[in-house]
Amino acid sequence: MTATNIDRRSRLRRASPRVLLYTALVLIALTIVVPLVWILLTSFKTDFDAISSPANPFPSPFTLEAYKTLASGQQPIFRWFLNSMAAATLQTMIILITASAGAYALARLDFWGKRVVFGAIVSTLLVPPVIFLIPNYLIVQNLGWLDTILAVTVPGAAGAFGIFFLRQFFLGLPSEIEEAARVDGAGDFRIFLQIVLPLSKPALATLAVLSFLGNWNDFLWPIYVLLSPENLTLQPGLSILQGAYSTHYGIIMAGAVIASVPVLILFTLAQRQIVESVASSGVKG
């Protein structure tokens, strides 16, 4: 066996894991992208073309009728869209405020019973969310928040995940910076606002995206607390749309496309911060 053959086999052996990895990544990407592309193409189809067999992936003919129907106002889909944007944005802001404050106290401050408090908070992650459905409904009802934006923002704005996630990130920040700030006379509140939060932008962006998606995709809770059709958020509103146009798949898919646009824009804007958060967590862990 010549040296050239040995060198070639060595290169192939080293390249094989990389080829398998790239192949797996391509398959995973196709699994995610193909359904999204299919939804987009179906939204431009006629009703007959959408249910034709065998299925044709490309619209024939290409039509904007589904989007024209949604824009006609037969169903208040754009009102649902604005309701979802307002609810998801407001809840995300509340989560960032409450979670960052709670996480900083549990990560950096010393007080009696801190471990017990943190354990109690983390233990709530093991409880299925559906168990809180009736207690939260009664609280919202007694506060007079039914059929308002507060009903779909406040109850889920103090979850344990945000506190746990940010606490783990805060623990990885260098304590020397805080000690230097205390020597200069800075208090805990100033350190939290001017040092910890600016250093935690990747983690805060990641939590913001996850919180926004959680509220944006919520289907069960808004059905119980939003009573008027015009006050619905987008996800339960699309279920009404599907009931009203049970065979109009183009209209249903057009609604799904509209629902996915803010999510894609948000992820695109926060992608760099999310990658930095994952990378820094990997280095510190």
Side-chain angles (χ1 to χ4, degrees):
M1 183 179 296
T2 64
T4 303
N5 291 334
I6 295 176
D7 185 60
R8 185 182 298 115
R9 290 189 177 185
S10 178
R11 288 200 303 269
L12 290 175
R13 192 180 299 111
R14 289 194 299 268
S16 295
R18 185 176 301 177
V19 172
L20 293 176
L21 175 62
Y22 288 162
T23 302
L25 292 176
V26 169
L27 292 176
I28 294 174
L30 289 175
T31 304
I32 298 173
V33 172
V34 169
L36 297 177
V37 174
W38 189 275
I39 291 174
L40 178 62
L41 293 176
T42 304
S43 67
F44 297 112
K45 293 181 179 180
T46 62
D47 293 335
F48 178 79
D49 190 21
I51 62 175
S52 63
S53 181
N56 181 15
F58 299 102
S60 179
F62 183 92
T63 178
L64 296 174
E65 192 62 33
Y67 294 94
K68 292 179 181 179
T69 302
L70 293 179
S72 66
Q74 296 182 17
Q75 294 290 342
I77 186 169
F78 293 105
R79 174 69 181 271
W80 299 337
F81 180 88
L82 294 177
N83 292 341
S84 287
M85 285 293 296
T89 302
L90 179 59
Q91 187 179 74
T92 299
M93 295 173 59
I94 298 175
I95 288 176
L96 291 179
I97 294 172
T98 58
S100 60
Y104 178 74
L106 293 171
R108 294 304 196 186
L109 303 183
D110 292 325
F111 56 91
W112 184 85
K114 182 172 72 172
R115 293 181 179 273
V116 176
V117 173
F118 178 67
I121 292 175
V122 173
S123 65
T124 61
L125 294 173
L126 305 177
V127 181
V130 70
I131 292 180
F132 299 109
L133 188 64
I134 295 178
N136 284 338
Y137 179 85
L138 294 176
I139 292 173
V140 169
Q141 184 183 40
N142 291 331
L143 291 174
W145 289 353
L146 288 179
D147 206 26
T148 66
I149 190 174
L150 295 176
V152 290
T153 55
V154 176
F161 173 77
I163 296 178
F164 173 78
F165 177 77
L166 290 181
R167 175 187 177 272
Q168 300 308 112
F169 189 89
F170 290 165
L171 288 175
L173 296 177
S175 59
E176 291 79 8
I177 300 178
E178 297 179 46
E179 293 173 0
R182 286 193 171 90
V183 171
D184 292 338
D188 291 326
F189 187 70
R190 184 177 178 183
I191 292 174
F192 171 66
L193 290 180
Q194 298 185 2
I195 297 177
V196 175
L197 290 184
L199 292 175
S200 305
K201 287 181 180 179
L204 293 173
T206 302
L207 180 60
V209 172
L210 295 176
S211 302
F212 187 93
L213 292 180
N215 186 281
W216 184 267
N217 294 325
D218 193 10
F219 174 79
L220 183 61
W221 177 247
I223 289 180
Y224 282 91
V225 296
L226 299 178
L227 310 178
S228 305
E230 64 274 9
N231 290 336
L232 289 176
T233 53
L234 195 57
Q235 302 305 328
L238 289 179
S239 66
I240 294 179
L241 186 68
Q242 185 173 358
Y245 303 98
S246 57
T247 58
H248 294 239
Y249 294 103
I251 297 177
I252 297 172
M253 294 304 174
V257 170
I258 294 175
S260 64
V261 168
V263 176
L264 296 176
I265 295 176
L266 179 62
F267 180 79
T268 301
L269 295 177
Q271 183 178 8
R272 184 175 63 86
Q273 299 290 343
I274 294 174
V275 172
E276 289 183 6
S277 175
V278 174
S280 60
S281 300
V283 171
K284 294 166 187 173

